[in-house]
Amino acid sequence: MWIDAHTHLTGDQLSRLLALPEETRLLVNAETPEQAAWLTGEGSPRVLTSVGLHPWRAAEPLEPLLPFFERADAIGEIGMDSVWCEVPLRRQREIFLRQLQLAEQMGKPVVLHLKGCEGECLPLVADFPGRKLVHWYSSPHFLAEYRALDCYFTVGPDWADETVRRVALETPLNRLLLETDGPDAVTWATGETLTPEQLPGWMNTHLGRVAALRGIDPALLSAQLEHNFKAFLGRDEG
Ligand SMILES: [Zn+2]
């Protein structure tokens, strides 16, 4: 079983992944009503869905996405971004807070995007009582503070980034997950172009690197990640 705890996929990429023999679980992100409609209606037990207004889209209205929140497995990715985004931070913060409140009311976990705003978001995340997953953390600051909030962390695909390696090494084993952030993000981070058919192999290598770094048997780590994924989504069968 390979698990991608945060990804973005087109319809074609997803159907090609689901046609593969490898057993998988994917938390696929939807940030427009159109994506949310097809993903939340997808119906495969292998496809879980996070729905949320991405900080890059925070200037757009939130309302058209709201009907899909109820059917989503998690609310995300949501947060703030001062590095790759020009939407005024005041507006980003307002949209982020509103979605955190909705997730809290609905009892759903959240997937967080904090790029460049890790310090500003820290008290907002601290106030959120539910389960939270920090996706592809890459700031040299505040990692211990987010860990102290009992966050889950995904190891992003960028092994050249020292913080990504720290997340892989320092996150408590029961809070660790892996992600691709989608094939395009893997290309951005590594220069590799991956077909959907190559993703399971890439994720297996990703898992092997974490296992080697931590001195753990890859099969044991894989079982732990499966447990963590269920626990994050509130599907822990005990
Ligand atoms: Zn993402």
Side-chain angles (χ1 to χ4, degrees):
M1 161 100 64
W2 65 282
I3 294 170
D4 191 342
H6 178 70
T7 185
H8 303 257
L9 296 167
T10 63
D12 174 62
Q13 289 168 330
L14 181 61
S15 21
R16 284 167 65 182
L17 275 178
L18 294 179
L20 299 176
E22 289 91 348
E23 185 58 279
T24 183
R25 293 288 180 276
L26 310 165
L27 182 56
V28 188
N29 200 78
E31 58 191 51
T32 66
E34 294 73 26
Q35 288 170 348
W38 73 263
L39 273 170
T40 57
E42 210 283 333
S44 165
R46 298 193 272 174
V47 179
L48 294 306
T49 309
S50 54
V51 175
L53 198 59
H54 195 291
W56 299 353
R57 293 181 178 270
E60 298 172 19
L62 176 60
E63 282 64 28
L65 264 187
L66 294 181
F68 301 100
F69 274 36
E70 200 61 60
R71 286 151 69 185
D73 298 284
I75 304 306
E77 58 184 288
I78 58 174
M80 295 176 67
D81 186 329
S82 63
V83 179
W84 293 317
C85 166
E86 288 177 359
V87 180
L89 289 177
R90 230 178 99 188
R91 168 73 179 171
Q92 291 192 44
R93 184 184 159 93
E94 181 190 314
I95 291 290
F96 180 34
L97 271 174
R98 177 124 183 258
Q99 295 184 96
L100 282 175
Q101 284 160 2
L102 288 167
E104 182 178 346
Q105 284 163 17
M106 293 177 174
K108 291 184 191 273
V110 293
V111 179
L112 300 170
H113 173 117
L114 306 170
K115 188 72 185 177
C117 293
E118 293 84 2
E120 183 167 0
C121 289
L122 191 59
L124 312 184
V125 176
D127 278 347
F128 179 75
R131 292 179 303 279
K132 41 228 171 218
L133 167 61
V134 179
H135 124 75
W136 194 343
Y137 198 78
S138 62
S139 164
H141 308 296
F142 307 112
L143 183 55
E145 285 84 348
Y146 278 98
R147 207 159 49 228
L149 298 180
D150 202 25
C151 291
Y152 290 77
F153 288 86
T154 49
V155 180
D158 186 5
W159 280 88
D161 183 328
E162 191 192 339
T163 305
V164 169
R165 296 196 300 272
R166 279 186 62 202
V167 166
L169 185 64
E170 297 173 13
T171 301
L173 265 187
N174 67 350
R175 291 292 177 265
L176 192 62
L177 287 161
L178 306 184
E179 69 162 288
T180 61
D181 203 16
D184 293 347
V186 174
T187 302
W188 178 86
T190 69
E192 293 174 68
T193 303
L194 294 180
T195 63
E197 290 74 17
Q198 290 169 315
L199 271 176
W202 189 89
M203 279 301 270
N204 197 39
T205 306
H206 198 37
L207 178 121
R209 292 182 84 158
V210 179
L213 193 66
R214 303 201 51 145
I216 309 170
D217 179 77
L220 285 180
L221 179 60
S222 178
Q224 178 70 53
L225 298 182
E226 196 177 326
H227 174 83
N228 297 350
F229 191 66
K230 285 182 189 162
F232 169 64
L233 293 170
R235 294 169 172 236
D236 215 341
E237 288 124 31

